[in-house]
Amino acid sequence: MQTDIAPKVCVGRTRDVFKNIDDCLQVEHYSVADPNVSLAKLTRENGNRAITTSLGSGVGTFVVAARDSELRLEQKGRVLFQGLMVEDSITFVEGPDPIAVELPSDACLYVLTFLKEPCRGPCSVVGGRFNIRDIRLVELVGEISESSPARRSELTRDFSRLAFERYRCLPRVHPLSAWRLNRVRRYAQSRLDQRMSLEELADVAGFSRAHFAATFKAATSMSAHEFLLRTRIQAAAKLLICTDLALVEIALQTGFQNQPHFTTVFKRITAVTPRKWRDFHRSAVVPCSAERMVNGSTVIEHLPH
């Protein structure tokens, strides 16, 4: 897999790890015995500007989120996905054209590309892509990365087979287009302190309630309700780091009815309480990265145990 990093590249090679020093992007390539399979891991840490990199080309590409990651996927000028790719979710893109991925903030992604041979059995992909969420598949990718080159070839085939078995169980609908998804996302972010219904978001997208729910989940692997919760928590995490507002005030500003409910949801998504989140990240943030969090997007990730 060829990887081109923009806007500035400073490359050094150590055990197949490519690192962009300025923007803290690591691209680690794994040796696979099968020449038709390419596997890499992209890790973005503490960057202060967007990075765009090419994922190369093949008959099909899986992008796997090892943690919540903000990204934009584009192929031949067509935006495939833009927004938050949730931890344990997998996006598949069909076709031989290279895929560009933009990482505006921290991310951790595995990229599995099948270069020539088909990566699946007879199963038509609606719209040439799909998005699913499956913990077992993500665990399998982790197992692949820790195996020998020969074992990786076998496991990548198992991954592809299981992914398409999972896909066959989904309703056959076109994923919500990127521009409609972005429109819904902007609308939700501008009204976080208000209650929003599924019907309201469906109207923004221009679809009926049922059609919107199906196409939204096909595009994001989340229900609209989970999307709203994660959007509220993203905004709350940003306020926790960048302001001195009390927890109850942050809860109200991000659409929670009270602080206990806010704390419960925050801990369920991030694995820590809001207070611990604030204490940990404030102790780790330096002034330059604090500015990035004010002006950019904050990506939720689990604290180390």
Side-chain angles (χ1 to χ4, degrees), residues 197-209:
S197 64
L198 180 62
E199 289 80 1
E200 187 176 353
L201 296 179
D203 286 341
V204 173
F207 288 138
S208 67
R209 181 180 182 275

Side-chain angles (χ1 to χ4, degrees), residues 102-131:
E102 179 182 291
L103 304 174
S105 56
D106 295 357
C108 185
L109 306 168
Y110 286 94
V111 180
L112 176 60
T113 303
F114 290 81
L115 304 175
K116 296 179 181 179
E117 295 180 356
C119 52
R120 55 182 171 85
C123 177
S124 59
V125 178
V126 176
R129 67 185 180 95
F130 62 78
N131 196 311

Side-chain angles (χ1 to χ4, degrees), residues 240-251:
L240 285 168
I241 299 172
C242 303
T243 73
D244 292 318
L245 291 173
L247 295 186
V248 63
E249 186 64 27
I250 291 176

Side-chain angles (χ1 to χ4, degrees), residues 48-70:
N48 56 16
R49 55 181 172 178
I51 292 178
T52 301
T53 181
S54 174
L55 301 184
S57 59
V59 295
T61 299
F62 291 96
V63 180
V64 183
R67 68 168 183 246
D68 285 13
S69 302
E70 194 82 13

Side-chain angles (χ1 to χ4, degrees), residues 1 26 189 241 282:
M1 183 176 67
Q26 289 185 344
Q189 289 173 338
I241 299 172
R282 282 196 167 183

